[in-house]
Amino acid sequence: MSDLGLVILDSPDDEPALLRRVFDEVLRPSFAPAELPGWESFVGEVGGEGGEVVLVALDGDEPIGAAVTTPCGPAEVTLLCYLAARPGARDRGIGSFLMGHLLDRWRHGGAALVVAEVHDPRCHARTDDERPADRLRFYDRTDATVLGPWVQPALTSDGDRVRGMLLLDLFRSEPAVPAHLLGEFTETYFVFAEGAEPVDAEYAELRRRLAAATPGPGVAIDDLDLVPLLDVDPGR
Ligand SMILES: CC(C)(COP(=O)(O)OP(=O)(O)OC[C@H]1O[C@@H](n2cnc3c(N)ncnc32)[C@H](O)[C@@H]1OP(=O)(O)O)[C@@H](O)C(=O)NCCC(=O)NCCS
């Protein structure tokens, strides 16, 4: 898709009407309630000390795609929280346009490691709205690798964790990242989302598996079958 514009929002006071449209028209229709907090919580994270940044793809004045990133844990780790093209505008290069800008920022921005959470196609069926294998192929084109099975922490006090996910390595500045980074990222994310470091078996197994994944590159997406599922009773 040609002639897309790009706006970078790193403060809730930057174009608040545009930010609201991004939330309502791009993000909310693209993610389940357990994966996207409410508006108040979302807007509270943009900019400020948290450092959340929103990249908006514009077709004229229309927001048609968005990517949201935040530093998480040690300063060198960034989480790609959300990447979406507006429903009805998918498969037209908008996601690739945003990924191109993200990769440029990461190459020049000093992040040692950038990670993303995606549904594991072995655990989530394809539906009209949900195409886990296609999404994984999208990330494969950017040479992402699989760090291991993943569980998204519960983002709200009445929500549940999202299971059957994968943690992807989207970018690393060096072939090997320091071994402690992934553990610190995981702990920071769960404490932030769930209020305290969890003590359950699922979290412990997640930490154990990720500890085994660093510091080398992850598993190629084509070799996903080499990544065993997180086979543990959630018990919560
Ligand atoms: C995944 C997504 C960001 C890709 O953006 P896009 O603009 O549709 O993708 P592009 O046109 O740049 O690239 C095309 C590739 O994207 C993937 N893709 C396209 N539509 C998709 C969809 N509805 N769901 C999942 N992946 C899709 C495919 O790999 C496609 O390649 P293919 O043509 O060989 O099948 C976008 O489809 C989307 O918003 N999906 C729903 C939300 C989501 O899954 N976000 C990622 C969460 S981690």
Side-chain angles (χ1 to χ4, degrees):
M1 196 168 177
S2 58
D3 296 334
L4 289 177
L6 181 77
V7 172
I8 298 174
L9 307 176
D10 55 12
S11 153
D13 304 325
D14 275 357
E15 307 215 35
L18 177 62
L19 194 58
R20 183 76 214 209
R21 288 191 66 189
V22 166
F23 185 80
D24 288 340
E25 297 171 27
V26 179
L27 298 179
R28 196 144 58 186
S30 301
F31 296 96
E35 296 168 349
L36 182 70
W39 163 250
E40 295 298 334
S41 169
F42 171 77
V43 75
E45 296 301 320
V46 177
E49 284 180 19
E52 192 163 292
V53 176
V54 184
L55 275 68
V56 185
L58 288 173
D59 183 8
D61 294 336
E62 295 287 306
I64 53 166
V68 182
T69 70
T70 190
C72 190
E76 310 92 323
V77 181
T78 290
L79 172 66
L80 174 60
C81 314
Y82 305 105
L83 171 66
R86 198 175 177 139
R90 293 188 182 145
D91 244 340
R92 284 158 47 187
I94 296 161
S96 303
F97 168 82
L98 287 164
M99 263 318 278
H101 283 281
L102 287 169
L103 287 165
D104 275 353
R105 284 173 69 87
W106 297 333
R107 282 186 199 109
H108 297 109
L113 179 67
V114 182
V115 297
E117 310 157 290
V118 294
H119 288 179
D120 187 333
R122 298 171 298 178
C123 306
H124 293 264
R126 181 185 166 121
T127 65
D128 285 349
D129 292 332
E130 165 70 17
R131 291 167 41 186
D134 292 350
R135 182 185 303 159
L136 209 48
R137 201 172 56 251
F138 170 85
Y139 286 116
D140 193 22
R141 295 202 176 111
T142 65
D143 294 330
T145 59
V146 182
L147 289 166
W150 180 250
V151 176
Q152 182 209 277
L155 298 183
T156 57
S157 53
D158 57 351
D160 201 0
R161 293 177 179 170
V162 182
R163 303 188 165 87
M165 301 193 82
L166 298 166
L167 191 68
L168 299 186
D169 171 343
L170 295 186
F171 171 85
R172 55 175 69 208
S173 57
E174 302 288 337
V177 297
H180 63 91
L181 286 185
L182 266 187
E184 288 175 26
F185 154 75
T186 307
E187 181 180 334
T188 305
Y189 190 9
F190 273 79
V191 170
F192 173 77
E194 299 191 356
E197 185 168 19
V199 291
D200 58 277
E202 182 177 57
Y203 176 77
E205 180 62 6
L206 190 60
R207 290 294 303 266
R208 193 188 68 74
R209 292 284 298 273
L210 288 172
T214 54
V219 174
I221 285 174
D222 267 352
D223 295 331
L224 181 59
D225 287 345
L226 299 178
V227 179
L229 299 172
L230 196 70
D231 190 16
V232 56
D233 179 355
R236 37 172 282 146

